[in-house]
Amino acid sequence: MNKAKRKAIIAGNWKMNKTATEAAALIGELVPSVKGAGCEVVICTPFTSLCKAVELCRGTNIHVGAENVHFEKSGAFTGEISAGMLVDLGVEYVIVGHSERRQYFAETDETVNKRAKAALAAGLKVIVCVGVTEELVRMQTKIALQGVSAEEMQRVVIAYEPVWAIGTGRTATSEQAQEVCAAIRKVVGELYGQAVAEATTVQYGGSMNAANADELLEKPDVDGGLIGGASLKADAFGAIVAAASK
Ligand code: PEP
C-alpha cells in the first residue's frame, strides 16, 4: 500500500466543549500553529461554534466540520440539524457514528449509514467512526458504507477508534492501530477494489497526543488521527499536525 496515494488528515473532535467565544479564541491560536501543515487539518466543533469557525477559518488551511448530522432533509425532528443546513453554513466535514453517539444517543450501524449517505448526498465529506474489536470494525465499516458509491468514497474518511482508548489516556499500540487500520482498508478493497482502498484515508483515534503521534502516524496504514482531548489545546494539536506533516 502506498501512503503517498492518500491524504493524511488530522481532525479535532471538540465534543461538547467551547462556547462560540471560547472557540474563537482557540481558533486564533490554532491558525498560526498549523499554518503550513503538510497534512489536511480539520476542526469539528459543536453546532453553536460552526458559524464562527467557518468565518475565522476562511482563507486559512483549517477545514471546518460538524460532530453529527441528521439523515432527513427537513421536517419535524426537534433539535436536529440537516446536512443541507451544514452545507449552507460553509461546513465541509461531518463526523458520523462516534462511539459517544453510539453509547449515549442510541446510534446504530443503520443510522450511521443513513447519516453518512445523507451527508454525502449534500456534498459533505464524512468521517465515519468505527471501533471495538476487529471483527466488529469490519461489520461496522461494511454497514456504514452500504449504498455509498465508489465516487462518493473520495469524500469518505474512516476513523478507527477503539472505545477503550477514547478519552482514557490509554492508546492502542502502533502495531494494534496498524493492524486494524489495515483490516479496514482491506474491507474497503473488498467493497470497492484496490484503487479506492489505496486512496481512502483511514485514521486512528483514541488518546492520540503530542507524545505518541509520531509512532502511530508512521505506520503504513494509519493516515492521520481523530483527536479529542488534545485538539482543545493549540500547542498539543499543532504538535500532532506537525507529526503528520513529516
Ligand atoms: C475522540 O473523541 O474521537 C477521541 C479520540 O478522543 P480522545 O483523543 O480524547 O481519546
Side-chain angles (χ1 to χ4, degrees):
M1 288 292 176
N2 184 352
K3 221 172 167 168
K5 288 194 178 163
R6 48 193 178 261
K7 253 189 310 198
I9 303 177
I10 297 296
N13 171 20
W14 289 11
K15 314 195 188 200
M16 195 173 74
N17 291 298
K18 305 289 175 191
T19 63
T21 308
E22 291 165 345
L26 178 54
I27 292 166
E29 292 178 58
L30 283 173
V31 169
S33 145
V34 303
K35 196 171 163 212
C39 64
E40 181 130 320
V41 181
V42 183
I43 55 169
C44 299
T45 82
F47 290 129
T48 47
S49 295
L50 287 173
C51 252
K52 198 80 203 154
V54 167
E55 179 194 321
L56 295 176
C57 293
R58 197 168 290 128
T60 77
N61 61 329
I62 303 180
H63 302 255
V64 177
E67 298 174 14
N68 189 28
V69 65
H70 193 58
F71 39 83
E72 294 294 346
K73 286 193 173 134
S74 62
F77 302 100
T78 303
E80 294 297 320
I81 309 281
S82 73
M85 292 171 183
L86 296 177
V87 170
D88 183 63
L89 283 188
V91 169
E92 199 179 327
Y93 278 86
V94 65
I95 297 172
V96 302
H98 192 278
S99 67
E100 287 152 17
R101 303 274 343 151
R102 294 179 192 256
Q103 184 178 353
Y104 305 126
F105 303 100
E107 189 81 81
T108 65
D109 290 333
E110 284 69 28
T111 56
V112 171
N113 175 243
K114 285 166 94 170
R115 289 178 211 279
K117 282 192 293 191
L120 289 166
L124 291 165
K125 295 173 184 163
V126 180
I127 300 175
V128 179
C129 298
V130 294
V132 212
T133 62
E134 189 170 324
E135 203 35 53
L136 260 174
V137 162
R138 286 180 58 84
M139 194 189 74
Q140 286 178 332
T141 304
K142 280 186 188 164
I143 298 175
L145 297 179
Q146 260 167 24
V148 172
S149 69
E151 195 269 321
E152 285 174 322
M153 281 302 289
Q154 291 171 30
R155 288 183 285 118
V156 172
V157 173
I158 301 173
Y160 164 54
E161 298 208 301
V163 281
W164 51 265
I166 296 177
T168 58
R170 289 173 57 214
T171 317
T173 63
S174 54
E175 288 75 23
Q176 287 167 334
Q178 163 60 23
E179 191 180 323
V180 183
C181 288
I184 290 170
R185 195 177 311 287
K186 189 158 174 276
V187 173
V188 175
E190 285 159 18
L191 296 171
Y192 299 98
Q194 180 87 352
V196 172
E198 286 197 349
T200 300
T201 298
V202 182
Q203 299 173 314
Y204 166 79
S207 300
M208 193 188 275
N209 57 40
N212 59 30
D214 263 327
E215 198 188 332
L216 288 159
L217 293 169
E218 73 189 18
K219 289 292 177 194
D221 285 288
V222 180
D223 307 319
L226 183 56
I227 322 294
S231 71
L232 297 170
K233 297 188 190 87
D235 53 349
F237 192 65
I240 298 171
V241 167
S245 302
K246 285 178 188 162

